[in-house]
Each structure stands twice: as C-alpha cells, then as structure tokens.
Amino acid sequence: MTERAGPPAAEYRIEDLAHHSGATVRTIRAYQDRGLLPRPERRGRANVYTDTHLARLRQIADLLDRGFTLASIKELLEAWDAGRGLGGVLGLVAEVDKPWTDERAGRITRAELDEKFGGDPDEAAVRDAIDLGVLERVPGRDDEFLVPSPQELAVAAELYAAGVPLSAISGHLRELRGQVEHIAARFLEFTTEHVFARYLGPQPPTDTEAAEAASLVRRLRPLAQQSVDAELARAMRLFATRHLHRHLTAGPVAAPSDEPQSVALPAETMRAVRTLVGPENVSAFISAAAQREVQARTLDAMTSSHDK
C-alpha cells in the first residue's frame, strides 16, 4: 500500500498574495525589508509565496488593528518564531480594548433630536455635537444619528431644559473632557508605575505574565470610575454647600440711590475733623472734602484724556 499525499501547499505570486491578504505589493515588500515577513522561495526568475506568508500578513494586519506599532509587532513575531506564544499578549490587548463602561450606544432620528432640544432645528448645534462625538453620522442615513453615550446626551437635554444654552453646554463639555482626560492619563501613569511596570520590559511578556496582567486589568478597570465618583460627590457636597451659604447670607444687592447714605469713619479721623473745624461743622466739612476730591479726580481724568 502506498501512503496518500496530502493536498499540495498553496503557492502565490506576489500579486496573488496581495489580493488574498488585502495588503499592497509595496507593503509586502516593505514588510520583507523590515524583517516582518520571511523571504519568498526563489524559483528561477520567480518569487514563490505560501500560506505561511499569507498567515503572517493577516497576523500583522490584526496586530496593527489592535494598535501595535510595526516595531513592537516585529518583537512579538520574533518571540513567536522563537517558540513563545502570542496568545497571552493578544488576550491582554483584548482585555484593554474592551469597553470601559456598561453603557450601550443608541440611535436617534433627527426629528427625535429636534424634539428633545426644544423642537427647533439647530444645524450649528448638531455640527458641534458631531465634532464632540456626542453624535455620529450613520452612513447612508441623513435623518439618523448614532449616540455613543445616551447618558451624555440625556444630561445635555436636561441642562437645556433647565435653561442652559446649547453653546454653553458644548463649551462646558469641552472643558470637562480635557480635565477628565488628564485624570485618566494620571491614573494610567500611576498604575503603570506601581502595578504594570514589571510586565512592560524590553521583551514581550510571556503567556503567563500577560495573563496575570489581563487579570489585573479586569480587577482595576472599575477603580478609576469609582474613585472619580467618590471624589466628585465629596467635592460637590463641599462646594455646593459653600455656594448656597454664600448666596443665602449675602442679602439683596442695593440699587443705586440719590438718597443720602451714612458712611462710617474711623474714630481718630472724626476726632481730628472736630478739632479742625469744630463739632458743628463736621458734616459740612466731610461733604465738602468729598466733593472736592471727586472734582479733582474728574479734572485729572479729563486732562489725561486730552494729553492722549
């Protein structure tokens, strides 16, 4: 009995490899030059590629989609070729790529959007919302939008209903976003320094190390939001109480009036005036002195204006 041979391995010219992989011929050659892709087999005057090359190209494309640079991909592939798996690293990347909120995106029609914000179409406000990412256009649908965070849109609607102009809401969101991004960056720096530094050495982590790091990401994922929620609640309670107390105790602001007003002067000043002009002339003297000062300042202002 003779042993049956398996199906022959697929072979490709570079143009065929480009077609099957989705990469361009120029990209394939660039990957070869950078050592990311094995050299093809040379047969006479032709270069022959196999399924190994096709699989490697698809692997590179997947890593690029996950945010890896070509330099880091080369290190990962070298580790793979040396017998170290990529499964743990890709699992870690997948864990980090997961949504950081349980909120689900929604959709809203243009008519629903206009009704939610007063009923009058506002093209400038819609453009602003798209620019901020509060709304996203749906391809092929001019009358419908994707809402990445329905909660964020609901907050904007409540503020608008309370009397806040849309332009002010957009400006507030831009300011808030910058501050929150700073908090997120600091939290990542903090956890990287104290938790993840041991997994981020010059060599890619082993499968075991990557699995440990992914587990830590799952454990620490809710901590950023929990700490921000707690601190925001504390700060709002503190500042809202102060704000309300200041406004309640300030009293009404008096309107300008032509009625005579009393002004308290230091006791030493009053004694000096009484000694100078006598008790019966104190009021007249203070009034005359005040008028004289006002006239002098008026003349000074006029002179300064003329000199300019």
Side-chain angles (χ1 to χ4, degrees), residues 26-238:
R26 182 177 179 181
T27 297
I28 293 172
R29 287 177 173 148
Y31 288 167
Q32 288 175 182
D33 293 340
R34 298 188 66 150
L36 291 165
L37 193 67
R39 292 285 176 180
E41 182 182 347
R42 187 77 176 177
R43 291 186 189 168
R45 300 177 61 182
N47 289 325
V48 178
Y49 297 85
T50 66
D51 282 335
T52 301
H53 296 90
L54 180 59
R56 177 58 58 90
L57 285 171
R58 288 173 175 168
Q59 202 170 41
I60 293 171
D62 181 59
L63 291 170
L64 286 172
D65 288 341
R66 293 171 183 266
F68 286 90
T69 64
L70 287 176
S72 59
I73 290 173
K74 183 177 181 181
E75 292 180 359
L76 289 171
L77 294 177
E78 287 173 350
W80 172 273
D81 292 337
R84 299 171 64 187
L86 284 180
V89 172
L90 297 182
L92 173 58
V93 173
E95 188 64 44
V96 173
D97 280 345
K98 284 182 179 178
W100 287 72
T101 176
D102 294 332
E103 187 178 20
R104 293 182 178 273
R107 292 199 176 202
I108 190 170
T109 66
R110 179 56 191 268
E112 291 170 338
L113 183 67
D114 291 341
E115 182 180 359
K116 190 180 286 288
F117 289 91
D120 295 325
D122 190 331
E123 298 300 330
V126 170
R127 288 194 299 270
D128 215 14
I130 292 173
D131 182 54
L132 285 165
V134 176
L135 299 174
E136 294 180 5
R137 296 194 182 277
V138 177
R141 297 294 301 271
D142 294 334
D143 62 339
E144 190 174 13
F145 299 96
L146 179 70
V147 185
S149 173
Q151 181 175 297
E152 190 170 51
L153 185 64
V155 169
E158 287 292 336
L159 289 172
Y160 180 79
V164 183
L166 288 174
S167 58
I169 295 173
S170 298
H172 176 71
L173 177 57
R174 283 190 171 90
E175 180 182 358
L176 180 65
R177 183 168 293 177
Q179 294 167 345
V180 171
E181 287 176 354
H182 174 72
I183 292 172
R186 288 293 298 120
F187 188 82
L188 288 173
E189 291 170 2
F190 169 76
T191 52
T192 297
E193 178 182 358
H194 297 285
V195 179
F196 294 106
R198 60 183 178 271
Y199 303 108
L200 302 174
Q203 296 298 323
T206 64
D207 276 359
T208 300
E209 292 171 337
E212 290 176 359
S215 176
L216 283 170
V217 171
R218 284 192 294 273
R219 287 170 50 194
L220 298 180
R221 182 186 297 275
L223 297 188
Q225 183 169 346
Q226 289 172 3
S227 58
V228 170
D229 286 347
E231 282 301 306
L232 179 61
R234 181 198 65 80
M236 286 298 297
R237 184 172 61 250
L238 174 65

Side-chain angles (χ1 to χ4, degrees), residues 234-279:
R234 181 198 65 80
M236 286 298 297
R237 184 172 61 250
L238 174 65
F239 289 109
T241 301
R242 288 181 182 175
H243 186 75
L244 181 62
H245 179 75
R246 184 168 66 249
H247 281 273
L248 289 178
T249 58
V253 178
S257 173
D258 292 334
E259 295 294 326
Q261 299 183 25
S262 299
V263 178
L265 294 177
E268 293 182 1
T269 302
M270 293 298 294
R271 283 197 296 270
V273 172
R274 278 196 296 269
T275 300
L276 181 63
V277 299

Side-chain angles (χ1 to χ4, degrees), residues 272-274 276-278 280-292:
V273 172
R274 278 196 296 269
L276 181 63
V277 299
E280 69 279 6
N281 296 320
V282 168
S283 296
F285 178 84
I286 292 175
S287 177
Q291 291 178 7
R292 181 177 179 181

